[in-house]
Amino acid sequence: MIRVVVADDQPLVRAGLRTLLDAERDLEVVAVATDGREAVEAARTLRPDVVCMDIRMPGQDGISATRELCGPGVEDPVPVLVLTTFDIDEYLFGALEAGASGFLLKDAEPEVLVAAVRSVARGNGTLDDALTKRVLREVVTRREIVPVTAGRASELLTAREHDILLLLAQGLSNDEIAAELVLETSTVKSHLARMMPKLGVRSRLQAAVWAYQNKVVAVPD
């Protein structure tokens, strides 16, 4: 069972998300929060698999709450999926900088949202398809988005880790990477666990951004 905390200041949105997620057999909303502070407290107490976090909330906003839960220096991070109605670059970049594992617009189809929650819970992360190309074009010029260790991937990573990073940046899941490289999924996960500290990142999403920032892969047309 994937345990979820929903944080949003709008009662109808909270209720709608809870109804949608609880309808899935493998998902359970264990708490709701009306602002960032409540979300942080609930996440630290209940240790959910995912926090669905709104950005603009009264009191503590979603980005600062995300930073408390999974930002740089957090020893035991809780994965955060940021949900917002605002398609604004600064919100997206703020979420990435804060350590979010995924970013999705609230007008996404219900099945997309459910899939995103599952993806983040598995450690795969997610980024709204409608935003991906624009984001990747922008991040290559904004090197502060992700803490980057000195050096290029070829100098930091083993050949196998480099291959995995290339596929990860193309959006492949752990299972798909394993099939492509003829490896066990558990082996891919082990490589990722060793690779991310070398890059100075905390999530697959940040690792993919790192790959584009450092021109390991080219931004898609």
Side-chain angles (χ1 to χ4, degrees), residues 59-219:
Q60 184 175 12
D61 63 61
I63 290 179
S64 63
T66 296
R67 188 174 294 107
E68 285 194 41
L69 291 176
C70 55
V74 177
E75 293 184 0
D76 191 13
V78 177
V80 172
L81 171 63
V82 169
L83 303 176
T84 184
T85 55
F86 300 97
D87 181 6
I88 300 175
D89 287 346
E90 289 307 316
Y91 291 147
L92 174 58
F93 295 133
L96 289 174
E97 290 171 348
S101 295
F103 187 99
L104 200 65
L105 295 178
K106 288 182 182 177
D107 62 3
E109 295 296 326
E111 60 270 21
V112 174
L113 173 58
V114 169
V117 170
R118 291 179 176 136
S119 179
V120 170
R122 291 194 300 266
N124 290 342
T126 188
L127 187 67
D128 193 307
D129 288 342
L131 304 175
T132 301
K133 289 183 180 180
R134 194 189 78 219
V135 169
L136 294 177
R137 292 180 194 281
E138 181 68 16
V139 296
V140 296
T141 63
R142 293 177 55 126
R143 303 190 63 84
E144 76 276 15
I145 297 299
V146 177
V148 178
T149 310
R152 295 292 300 279
S154 59
E155 300 167 348
L156 292 169
L157 306 179
T158 66
R160 179 61 77 193
E161 289 169 347
H162 187 270
D163 291 341
I164 290 173
L165 180 61
L166 290 176
L167 296 174
L168 183 156
Q170 295 172 36
L172 273 65
S173 68
N174 288 347
D175 290 339
E176 291 168 336
I177 293 172
E180 183 74 19
L181 299 178
V182 194
L183 298 171
E184 296 292 332
T185 301
S186 59
T187 302
V188 173
K189 291 180 179 178
S190 296
H191 281 299
L192 285 170
R194 290 191 294 269
M195 178 180 72
M196 288 184 186
K198 296 179 182 179
L199 305 182
V201 302
R202 298 292 294 271
S203 70
R204 290 169 53 94
L205 177 58
Q206 289 183 339
V209 171
W210 190 100
Y212 286 101
Q213 285 181 306
N214 288 270
K215 300 181 180 179
V216 177
V217 288
V219 177

